[in-house]
Amino acid sequence: MEAHNPIRVDQELLSELVDSVPDRWAICLRLLGGRRAWESGFDRLRSAAQAAHVPFLAIPGEQGQDLELEAASSVAPELLRSATTYLDQGGVGNLAGLLGQLSDCLRGTSIGAPPPTELPQHGIYLPGQSTALNLEQWLALPRGDGPVVAIAFYRAHWMSGNLDFVDGLCRGIVAAGGEALPFFCYSLRDPGPHELPAAVADCLVRDGAVVPQALVMTLSFSVAQVQVDGGTVADEWTSRWMTKLDIPVLQAITVTSTRSAWEGSSAGLAPLDVAMQVALPEFDGRIIGPPVSFKEQIDGTPRYVPDEERCRALGRLAVNHAGLGRRANSAKRIALVLSSYPTKNARVGNAVGLDTPASALHLLQRLKDEGYEVGSLPATGDDLIQSLIEAGVYDRDYLSGAQMQAAPARVHRDDYQIAWERLPGAIRTEVSERWGSPPGKLYLDGNRLHFGGLQFGNVLLTVQPPRGFGDNPIAIYHDPGLAPTHHYVAFYRWLEESYQADAIIHLGKHGTLEWLPGKSVGMSNECFPDALAAAVPWFYPFVVNDPGE
């Protein structure tokens, strides 16, 4: 038997297959999208099969009837229907049954074939086991007390055993202190109880309560209906069931190209992956995570090969998001980060179309109303910003040593050195080549690096460190090739490791973290935004009428 993915059959290979048709005892094509999905290859193979009197089976990739493919087939309708059922059910066992039946019917062998085995449309996967579990069985298993993170993946992967990337995600979640709940599904649009998709209701909900605290999706496209037939945005475009779950939903990117292609690309992801796994999932409100696997040819078969480091990165992000729902608001530590462009006191909290001081005060008040420990607040947004400036930010024309020593946000050079050594080697090399050895010279007060800020209970109001320096700091503000300073690097590592922020809110248009060197989307751990702050849940209110940004 010889098998090929039509998408990967180029003209040279197609010619070889057409020439070899007389040596075959059957040709079976299964096409997602019907004949038009591979029109040139379909017609050439069918014509060659007719000329050589080789049985030809054309089967739709979707469940349901395709009259055009049926008419193009040359075997008995009963055999075609049986073959279709084997493939619709899927799995290794059904594929073996299909081959046995075709051989017996078309070659006169006596292999024998069991009838197609019906496989579940959805279920819980336990790494290392071929039998699906239900939720009650999974809950009965021994496990820790970490947050539960569900992983949704396609049923086709479970049936084919293409599960290495799911296993990698499970390991990443467990390494971050969570409990992985992987489940497969054919669709997330089939209705079920509790106004949820059937797969979600059966695999994630017990007695009306949602079991996981976060959901990782590896499914492409969007669940929401973005447009109706007339081309206008549908009134019900949001993914209502995701809102009903009321847990963070993250997107794990399963890259459709090879790792080497991704590594060599400054863009990161190909346009197809950007559309299917970033842009469209964002319509559902999914939080876009890093790539977790790459499509490689293993022994002539395409496989999803996990990247263990990226799986751990996704695991940390998912577990941290899940932890937000388990921790009391009064115990959460939040960093509210304002921008400052350029680095002048008069520009603290700058934004386009946003009253940042008033918005920051409204956020602080809302956090207080929601039970966060915020303490006393100033009366107005102007008072808030004035107090922040008086405490000392980054305008070196006014910043004093006394302000730096009294600041609530400071890191000792020894602590920064420890955090620095945990960063990827490529990151350390780029920063050192541009700014010298750690901790650098900027905003260094004795042995401590200074960060501007005010402490309101468990909420730190702070300002993003400067990125541009020299005679024309504005010109290099967006320079994608300029490594940030030690002071900048230390700020984000301090927020996560020392301040231990549960979440970071960036307020203003716009900051500089997203403009640091690295891939545009689908980042590696050697991309600066990922290396500095990828594990902390981020909230970034941003103007929606500025598509250029």
Side-chain angles (χ1 to χ4, degrees), residues 391-403:
V393 279
Y394 304 124
D395 190 333
R396 288 186 288 179
D397 291 338
Y398 299 98
L399 183 62
S400 68
Q403 289 172 319

Side-chain angles (χ1 to χ4, degrees), residues 102-459:
L102 289 179
S103 180
D104 288 352
C105 293
L106 300 177
R107 302 170 67 199
T109 59
S110 56
I111 296 173
T117 301
E118 184 175 355
L119 298 177
Q121 293 295 298
H122 53 261
I124 295 173
Y125 161 65
L126 192 64
Q129 289 193 11
S130 58
T131 303
L133 304 181
N134 59 39
L135 184 57
E136 291 298 326
Q137 291 170 323
W138 185 86
L139 289 170
L141 297 173
R143 61 182 189 279
D145 60 354
V148 177
V149 178
I151 304 168
F153 63 98
Y154 285 115
R155 177 177 180 263
H157 294 306
W158 177 73
M159 293 189 301
S160 65
N162 187 20
L163 295 166
D164 291 346
F165 76 105
V166 181
D167 294 344
L169 278 172
C170 291
R171 289 191 294 270
I173 289 167
V174 171
E179 300 295 324
L181 173 52
F183 72 102
F184 62 87
C185 57
Y186 179 78
S187 171
L188 287 179
R189 292 190 177 183
D190 295 335
H194 312 298
E195 300 180 48
L196 298 171
V200 172
D202 291 346
C203 297
L204 304 185
V205 178
R206 183 193 193 192
D207 297 330
V210 179
V211 172
Q213 286 82 50
L215 169 61
V216 172
M217 299 271 278
T218 67
L219 281 61
S220 302
F221 304 102
S222 61
V223 173
Q225 180 185 3
V226 180
Q227 289 185 323
V228 294
D229 294 339
T232 59
V233 176
D235 292 337
E236 296 293 320
W237 72 271
T238 53
S239 302
R240 301 293 183 189
W241 66 263
M242 289 187 183
T243 304
K244 188 174 180 62
L245 281 183
D246 196 27
I247 59 176
V249 181
L250 297 87
Q251 178 74 14
I253 300 172
T254 55
V255 183
T256 58
S257 62
T258 63
R259 179 186 175 87
S260 60
W262 169 78
E263 285 181 329
S265 170
S266 60
L269 301 181
L272 182 64
D273 280 334
V274 173
M276 293 194 308
Q277 304 197 62
V278 179
L280 287 173
E282 283 184 337
F283 279 104
D284 294 339
R286 302 185 210 175
I287 301 160
I288 307 303
V292 296
S293 67
F294 301 92
K295 206 168 188 178
E296 310 283 358
Q297 290 289 325
I298 306 296
D299 297 328
T301 303
R303 302 282 294 183
Y304 283 28
V305 178
D307 181 295
E308 293 294 333
E309 187 279 326
R310 293 287 77 192
C311 285
R312 290 194 298 272
L314 191 283
R316 290 192 297 272
L317 181 63
V319 168
N320 286 341
H321 270 283
L324 292 176
R326 286 164 48 105
R327 194 170 187 185
N329 287 347
S330 60
K332 293 174 186 173
R333 298 176 65 82
I334 308 297
L336 179 54
V337 182
L338 308 183
S339 59
S340 179
Y341 167 66
T343 310
K344 296 294 182 182
N345 283 346
R347 299 292 290 169
V348 171
N350 67 290
V352 176
L354 178 73
D355 186 337
T356 308
S359 298
L361 185 59
H362 277 296
L363 277 172
L364 288 167
Q365 185 60 57
R366 179 60 182 269
L367 289 170
K368 188 173 185 177
D369 294 343
E370 295 284 344
Y372 289 79
E373 180 56 50
V374 175
S376 299
L377 296 174
T380 68
D382 289 344
D383 292 339
L384 181 71
I385 294 298
Q386 188 60 42
S387 298
L388 181 61
I389 292 172
E390 290 175 357
V393 279
Y394 304 124
D395 190 333
R396 288 186 288 179
D397 291 338
Y398 299 98
L399 183 62
S400 68
Q403 289 172 319
M404 295 171 72
Q405 291 167 16
R410 288 157 58 84
V411 62
H412 195 280
R413 64 190 301 160
D414 293 344
D415 293 329
Y416 172 55
Q417 183 69 38
I418 294 171
W420 165 260
E421 291 173 357
R422 283 197 285 262
L423 291 169
I427 295 287
R428 299 199 304 269
T429 297
E430 282 195 59
V431 175
S432 297
E433 287 179 350
R434 181 62 183 84
W435 302 104
S437 301
K441 300 177 181 179
L442 295 167
Y443 304 102
L444 184 64
D445 176 45
N447 287 319
R448 296 184 182 275
L449 287 163
H450 159 78
F451 311 121
L454 292 173
Q455 192 74 46
F456 294 96
N458 287 338
V459 180

